[in-house]
Amino acid sequence: MKPIGKYILIKEVVEEIETGSGLLLGADEVNQLRYKKGMVIFPGTDVTVIEQDDDIYYDSRAGHTMLLGDNTFTIIKEQDVVVVL
């Protein structure tokens, strides 16, 4: 399985976010954040900067979720990635 063109197949990484005062944000608050963290499973055939196993932050409103077997993945465009870690 390999994405075509500028698409990237990612697995969403669920984060616990702690505020400066030490409070942990709940799932509802985390879902309201603009960006989500993900791990690149496969970059598309035309993606040059992002590689397999890179951790990224991407626009939370971007992409589509798909179920492959028992696993849930998200497919996004390269332009939706804002940070590569």
Side-chain angles (χ1 to χ4, degrees):
M1 167 178 58
K2 184 147 181 103
I4 303 298
K6 296 275 188 182
Y7 288 96
I8 302 169
L9 184 70
I10 63 170
K11 182 78 172 166
E12 186 178 333
V13 175
V14 179
E15 294 184 286
E16 279 190 355
I17 307 234
E18 189 173 324
T19 65
S21 61
L23 295 173
L24 289 176
L25 297 179
D28 290 337
E29 289 86 11
V30 171
N31 286 337
Q32 293 177 8
L33 296 175
R34 174 72 191 260
Y35 300 105
K36 290 183 178 180
K37 186 175 183 180
M39 184 181 78
V40 176
I41 304 301
F42 292 112
T45 55
D46 295 337
V47 176
T48 56
V49 176
I50 300 166
E51 299 177 0
Q52 188 172 351
D53 296 327
D54 278 349
D55 288 321
I56 61 169
Y57 280 95
Y58 64 98
D59 191 332
S60 62
R61 294 180 287 266
H64 303 281
T65 302
M66 52 195 307
L67 186 62
L68 298 171
D70 292 336
N71 298 312
T72 303
F73 297 99
T74 302
I75 189 90
I76 62 171
K77 292 181 181 179
E78 183 180 28
Q79 69 189 26
D80 296 321
V81 176
V82 292
V83 175
V84 178
L85 301 175

